[in-house]
């Protein structure tokens, strides 16, 4: 078996025709689909229901064209990140198992594993208990992917719960406190805590103290991409890396953008994935071999970018998530000449402060 990975555009909120076409064309079977990571066109906030609409549309296609029972289709990990601000294009990256009759390369090839954590309680979010639960889920997802060495992991995508008024009140009624009573802020907190869990699982950092979560920005994972929403009460974890003997033609690499203008960080990740690029690369050098790039970003908490003052964090009309997602989306889209790139915000503890991790999947033929 090998992993086939393809990117399709969402032509409307509930469009899954790209997935259906790939199945009809025989690129992979519906029953072979093992994970989906996508961007939807909603507001990217707590009440972004476009994520649920896209999720339902994709699962409906898998049910109609496959043989798996609904219980199995419901368990397929689909991580949807809301918000395609600026020039970003709604799209989905689909991972599927396929038969591979060709020769197996001596070089490592793409491998994907999936796991669900234990239930994350409202009072766990932003605290060491959640770090530990996410870390354990990452370890199990690595095992499912056949990855033994953490150095072979290049991208970890999680979806975790955030806090809403119902879960905040539930915790209070049971005698517990919560990290924050602001649902939107809890998105940052949930993402950041997940990032620390990934870092712990991969040996990038030691287990953080409660006081360090959300505050010590020197602690981060270089491969974490964390999203949160109201869709679930566990950490849904997808681990993507490289395994020798895996078969197929895809390879993944990673690096970091050190700030919002670090276009070279995208090319460093692409080189790490195995594509030979000149020192001063541009999109013409990619030769259509980049399947997708996955980026996390955040407005720099110092309110400065390369010495220039920034005002996004002071904007009371447009949330800074929207500002930075659009800005970094433009930088990344320009680097690869494609607006259908995965750019997600709330990147605390994911990559260096003011920047974020970059993962790139390339087709090596």
């Amino acid at each position: 078996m090998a992993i086939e990975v393809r990117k399709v555009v969402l032509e409307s909120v509930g469009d899954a025709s790209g997935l259906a076409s790939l199945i009809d064309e025989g690129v992979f079977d519906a029953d072979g689909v093992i994970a989906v990571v996508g961007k939807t066109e909603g507001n990217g906030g707590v009440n972004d229901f476009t994520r649920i609409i896209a999720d339902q549309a994709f699962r409906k296609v898998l049910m109609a064209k496959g043989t798996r029972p609904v219980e199995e289709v419901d368990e397929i990990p689909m991580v949807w990140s809301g918000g395609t601000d600026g020039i970003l294009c709604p799209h989905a990256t689909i991972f599927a198992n396929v038969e591979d009759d060709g020769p197996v390369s001596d070089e490592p090839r793409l491998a994907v594993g999936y796991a669900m954590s234990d239930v994350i309680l409202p009072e766990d979010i932003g605290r060491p208990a959640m770090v530990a639960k996410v870390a354990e889920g990452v370890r199990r997802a690595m095992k499912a992917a056949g990855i033994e060495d953490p150095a072979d992991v290049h991208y970890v995508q999680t979806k975790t719960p955030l806090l809403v008024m119902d879960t905040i009140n539930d915790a209070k009624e049971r005698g517990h406190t919560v990290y924050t009573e602001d649902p939107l802020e809890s998105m940052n907190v949930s993402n950041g805590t997940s990032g620390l869990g990934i870092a712990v699982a991969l040996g990038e950092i030691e287990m953080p103290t409660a006081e360090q979560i959300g505050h010590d920005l020197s602690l981060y994972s270089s491969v974490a991409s964390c999203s949160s929403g109201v869709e679930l009460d566990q950490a849904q974890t997808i681990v993507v890396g490289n395994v020798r003997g895996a078969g197929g033609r895809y390879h993944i690499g990673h690096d970091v953008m050190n700030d919002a203008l670090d276009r070279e960080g995208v090319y460093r990740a692409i080189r790490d994935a195995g594509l030979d690029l000149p020192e001063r690369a541009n999109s013409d050098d990619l030769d259509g071999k980049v399947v997708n790039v996955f980026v996390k970003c955040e407005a720099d908490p110092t309110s400065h970018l390369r010495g220039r003052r920034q005002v996004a964090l002071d904007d009371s009309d447009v949330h800074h998530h929207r500002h930075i997602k659009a800005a970094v989306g433009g930088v990344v889209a320009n680097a690869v000449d494609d607006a259908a790139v995965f750019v997600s915000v709330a990147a605390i503890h994911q990559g260096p402060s003011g920047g974020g991790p970059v993962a790139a999947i390339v087709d090596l033929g």
Side-chain angles (χ1 to χ4, degrees):
M1 301 297 292
I3 298 293
E4 182 65 39
V5 54
R6 295 292 181 97
K7 180 169 65 179
V8 298
V9 168
L10 275 60
E11 300 294 351
S12 64
V13 177
D15 175 45
S17 62
L19 169 63
S21 294
L22 290 172
I23 295 170
D24 291 342
E25 293 164 6
V27 176
F28 48 72
D29 294 332
D31 291 347
V33 173
I34 56 173
V36 176
V37 177
K39 291 292 300 182
T40 66
E41 60 201 76
N43 61 22
V46 175
N47 63 334
D48 184 349
F49 300 112
T50 64
R51 300 186 299 243
I52 297 174
I53 294 171
D55 190 277
Q56 291 174 338
F58 270 61
R59 294 186 198 277
K60 184 177 179 180
V61 168
L62 295 181
M63 284 295 302
K65 295 184 176 295
T67 62
R68 287 182 287 191
V70 63
E71 295 82 10
E72 289 186 23
V73 173
D74 284 345
E75 292 178 356
I76 297 169
M78 294 190 185
V79 177
W80 298 98
S81 171
T84 47
D85 303 82
I87 64 171
L88 291 174
C89 173
H91 70 279
T93 303
I94 305 159
F95 300 87
N97 281 323
V98 294
E99 294 284 348
D100 185 9
D101 297 327
V104 176
S105 170
D106 291 335
E107 296 297 321
R109 288 293 183 263
L110 196 72
V112 179
Y114 161 70
M116 293 291 284
S117 76
D118 292 338
V119 170
I120 295 174
L121 300 170
E123 58 268 26
D124 294 339
I125 296 173
R127 290 169 175 158
M130 181 175 176
V131 175
K133 290 178 180 180
V134 170
E136 180 55 31
V138 171
R139 295 185 188 105
R140 286 191 281 108
M142 283 179 61
K143 185 176 181 180
I147 299 174
E148 298 179 357
D149 186 349
D152 291 328
V153 175
H154 294 273
Y155 175 48
V156 181
Q157 178 69 58
T158 62
K159 189 77 176 186
T160 53
L162 46 70
L163 293 168
V164 294
M165 295 315 300
D166 283 348
T167 56
I168 291 169
N169 291 330
D170 170 65
K172 289 180 176 180
E173 290 169 0
R174 292 183 290 105
H176 296 280
T177 62
V178 292
Y179 188 99
T180 177
E181 295 190 18
D182 179 346
L184 185 56
E185 175 59 23
S186 77
M187 178 181 292
N188 288 340
V189 173
S190 182
N191 289 1
T193 312
S194 298
L196 292 174
I198 294 166
V200 168
L202 301 180
E204 294 176 283
I205 63 169
E206 299 295 326
M207 184 71 180
T209 65
E211 293 74 22
Q212 289 176 302
I213 298 174
H215 299 288
D216 186 350
L217 302 184
S218 69
L219 303 179
Y220 63 82
S221 170
S222 295
V223 299
S225 178
C226 304
S227 180
S228 53
V230 298
E231 301 95 315
L232 72 177
D233 61 2
Q234 297 166 276
Q236 183 183 70
T237 302
I238 302 170
V239 166
V240 187
N242 300 308
V243 172
R244 194 173 300 279
R249 64 180 196 269
Y250 300 99
H251 198 265
I252 187 170
H254 79 277
D255 209 285
V256 298
M257 290 179 72
N258 291 304
D259 61 29
L261 292 176
D262 188 12
R263 186 169 180 262
E264 289 300 315
V266 178
Y267 295 132
R268 291 193 298 269
I270 294 171
R271 288 190 189 94
D272 191 54
L275 205 58
D276 187 23
L277 298 178
E279 183 176 351
R280 297 293 293 178
N282 61 58
S283 59
D284 292 337
D285 299 313
L286 304 181
D287 196 27
K289 294 185 181 299
V290 175
V291 178
N292 206 0
V293 291
F294 305 84
V295 181
K296 290 293 293 189
C297 62
E298 63 170 353
D300 195 305
T302 68
S303 295
H304 283 77
L305 176 58
R306 300 193 182 184
R308 300 298 192 186
R309 176 172 171 259
Q310 305 285 287
V311 299
L313 291 169
D314 294 323
D315 193 336
S316 298
D317 295 314
V318 179
H319 195 274
H320 58 85
H321 282 177
R322 315 296 293 269
H323 283 282
I324 196 65
K325 192 188 305 176
V328 173
V331 171
V332 176
N334 175 263
V336 298
D337 193 26
D338 188 352
V341 287
F342 186 93
V343 178
S344 175
V345 290
I348 185 173
H349 297 310
Q350 300 151 76
S353 182
V358 185
I361 297 176
V362 302
D363 184 346
L364 296 179

